[in-house]
Amino acid sequence: MQFFDPAILQSGQYHDWLVQGLVLSIQLTVISFVFALPLGALVAVMRTSTFAPLRAIGATFVEAIRNVPLLAHLLFWYFAFPELLPDAARELLYANNPEVICAVIALSLYAGVHMAEDIRSGIRAIPATQLEAARSLGLGRIAAVRLVLLPQALRASVPPLLSQTVNLWKDTSVATVIGAAELMYQAARVETASFRSLEAFTFATLAYLTVSLLISGAAHLFQRRYPVRTA
Amino acid sequence: MTMLELIDTYWLYFLVGQYPDGPLGGLVLTILLSGAALLLAMPLGLLLGIARVSPYRAVNVPVAVLVHVVRAVPLLLVLFWAYFFLPAVTGVKTSQATTMLIVLVLFDSIYLAEIVAAGIRALPRGQLESARSLGLGYGAALRHVVLPQTLRHGLPSIVNQLVSTIKATSLGYIIGLSEVSFIATQINTLVFTQAVEVYLILALTYFILCFGLSRLAFLLERRLQRRPEQAS
Amino acid sequence: MIVLDKVNKYYGDYHALVDISERVERNEVLVVCGPSGSGKSTLIRTLNRLEEIDAGRIEIDGRDIHAKGADVNALRAGIGFVFQHFNLFPHLTVLENCTLAPVKLGRATKAEAREVAMGLLEQVGLAHKADAYPNALSGGQQQRVAIARALAMRPPIMLFDEPTSALDPEMVGEVLQVMRTLASQGMTMVCVTHEMGFARDVADRIWFMSEGKILEKATPQDFFANPQHPRAQQFLADHRRD
C-alpha cells in the first residue's frame, strides 16, 4: 500500500463520496447564507432602533445564540426541536433529510447573529446626519433605513461579512455531529472504509483552504474596487 | 421526570463526568481544558505576535502564512488530523483530552498572536523610542515597556478568546471526548424522553459561562477607557 | 565632544540634512532653532541614532557612532534624550520610570538606583510624586520626570527635542528652570526649541537651520542683535511679533 495514493482522489468510490461531501458543504454554506444575511440585517436594525424594547429583544437574541457553541445548537435542533413539533410536522421533517434541515437552521441562526453584529458596526459607522437628511426629504423611517442607511452600512460591512462567510464555510464541518453527510463526514467515512486517512484529509484540507482563500480574495478585491466613501 | 428531578439526578455526572470512577469529564473538564489551553498558548502566542511585527521579512512572512493557513481551515479538521496522525507520529497513543488540548493550544496561540501584534502596533511609537534612547536593547524594551502595556490593553480580547476556546472544546464531542456536550447527549440517551430539557440546560450552562465572561471583558474594556494611562 | 562631518540624510527624494559639518564642545549649551520642517529634530535624532544618516560621519567622544560593531545601546545609554511628548512609561510609577534603565542595564543595584533617582526627583522638585503614576501628573510635571529619568543614567550629554512645545504656557517655565539649572551645572546640552528667551539667557551658541542646512551660527548676542542671513532675520522678525 502506497503512502499517499492520489489516484483514489481522482476517481472511484472514495472520490465520489468526497466530492458529494464537498458539494453538500457548499450547499449548506450557500443556503444558510441566504437565510443568515437578511436575518442579520433585521437584527442589526432592531439593535440600533430608537425603540428600547426592540433593542432589548435584538440584544437578547444575539447573546443567547452567540454564547452557545454551534455544536450545542446542532444537537438542540436535531434532538430536541422535533419533540416540540406536532406529530404531522415531525413526520414531515423526518421524511425530508432532517440532518440537512436542522443543520441549515442552526447554521443560519449562528451565522445570522454574527452578521448582525458586523452590520451593526457598519450602521454605527454611518453618521446620524444621513438619516436626518433622508427624513427631512419626507421619507418614512423604514424607507429611510432601507434606501439610505442600509446600503451604506452594508458596503462598510462587506469585509467583516465576507470574513463571517469564511467562518460559516468552516462551521459547516460541525454539522457532521448530527450526521449531515458533508465533507468532514465523508472524509471520516473514507477513513473508516479504507484507512486512507492521509488522502481523505488532504482532500478536505485543500478544499477548505481553496474556498476560504477564494472568499478572502473576493473581500480584498471588493475593498479595492468599492472603497468605503465617507460623506 | 420534571426538570428539577432531572437536574437532581444527573447534576454530578453533568459536572464531572465519571470522575472519580473514570477520567474527568463534564463541565469541569470543559472549563479546565479551556483555561489550560489559553494559559499554555500564551507564551507561544507572545512569540508569534512579536514575530508578526518584526521588520525582518524572514521572520514576519512565515508566521503570517501560518496564521492565514490555520485560519482558513476548520478547527474540526485540525482536530481530525491530530487525532488520526498524532499517535502515528509520536508513537504514543494520545488520549482525546490531550489531543484536544494540543489542538486548542495551537489555535489559541495563533489568535493570541494576532491580538499581541495588533496591540504592539497600536502602542504609540514614542514608548519604544524612549525605552531605546535610555539604552535598553530591543528585547529589554519589549519586555519592560511594550509588552506590559500591550497585554494590559489586550486583556478584554484575551478574555474573549477564552470564551471562543470554551465553545471550541465542544468539538471534542466528535472524537469522543467526555466534555459537557457529550455528557449531555449521554444523559439524553439515558432519559430519552426529555431531550428539550436536557439540551436547554446545556445551552443555559454555556450561556451563563460565556455571557458572564464576555461581560467581564466588556467591563475590563470600559475600565481601560476610563483610566487614560497615556502620558501625551 | 560631538563632531558632525558632512552628514547627509534623505527621506526618499527629500534632502532632509544637507552637508552638516559642525562641532559641539564639552560643557557647551547649544540651541538649534528654525522654522518647522527645517530638519532640527531630524538632526538631533541622528545623534543617538533614532534616525540613521545616509552619508557622513558622527563622532561622539572621539568614537565613530556608526563604526562596524558599534553598540547602539551603549551609545544611547551615554546620551540623555528628552522628547517633546515626554513618553513616560504609564504602567510604572515615577520612581520606577527613573530606575528602570539603570537597574535593567546592570549599572546600579535597586537600592543605588532608588537613591540616585530620588536625588534627581528632588532636584526637579518632584520627590513627593515618586510613587505616583504619570497619568496623575500635569504635562510640566511629566516632562520634569522625563528629564530626571534621562539624568538617572548619568549621561555626559543631554539632548532636548522641543521639550516645551507640547506644554500649556503656564508650565513651560518650570521645565525651562530645570534646564537652566542643568546648564549652570556644566552639562553639555543640545536643545531644539522655540523658546528664544531661554536661548538668549542660557545658550553658548545658536544654530539657525532652514531646509536641512545650518544657515547661521552665532553667539546669542550676535544672533539676536545682528542676524546675518536673510532667512534668520525673517525668522526673528516673525518671533518678535509674537
Side-chain angles (χ1 to χ4, degrees), chain A residues 162 166 210-224:
Chain A
L162 280 172
V166 173
T210 310
V211 177
S212 297
L213 291 175
L214 278 175
I215 301 177
S216 299
H220 211 71
L221 282 175
F222 185 90
Q223 265 184 299
R224 284 251 299 269

Side-chain angles (χ1 to χ4, degrees), chain C residues 186-238:
Chain C
M187 173 68 76
T188 311
M189 294 163 63
V190 179
C191 312
V192 172
T193 184
H194 295 295
E195 294 294 325
M196 292 298 127
F198 175 82
R200 195 188 321 237
D201 299 336
V202 182
D204 293 314
R205 268 195 306 156
I206 297 181
W207 289 355
F208 174 77
M209 281 187 76
S210 177
E211 288 175 355
K213 305 192 190 79
I214 299 180
L215 295 180
E216 191 152 335
K217 302 171 283 196
T219 62
Q221 296 96 297
D222 292 337
F223 184 70
F224 287 105
N226 205 6
Q228 300 292 315
H229 199 281
R231 201 107 25 101
Q233 293 163 359
Q234 182 63 45
F235 179 75
L236 284 172
D238 290 338

Side-chain angles (χ1 to χ4, degrees), chain A residues 91-145:
Chain A
E91 299 299 308
L92 192 64
L93 176 66
Y94 284 147
N96 287 295
N97 224 330
E99 293 82 13
V100 171
I101 293 180
C102 295
V104 168
I105 299 176
L107 285 166
S108 305
L109 287 172
Y110 199 72
V113 300
H114 285 100
M115 289 185 183
E117 290 302 278
D118 291 331
I119 297 175
R120 185 164 78 112
S121 49
I123 290 177
R124 293 226 292 238
I126 311 298
T129 46
Q130 286 292 301
L131 253 190
E132 281 175 8
R135 296 305 302 278
S136 40
L137 286 169
L139 290 170
R141 180 168 164 86
I142 296 181
V145 166

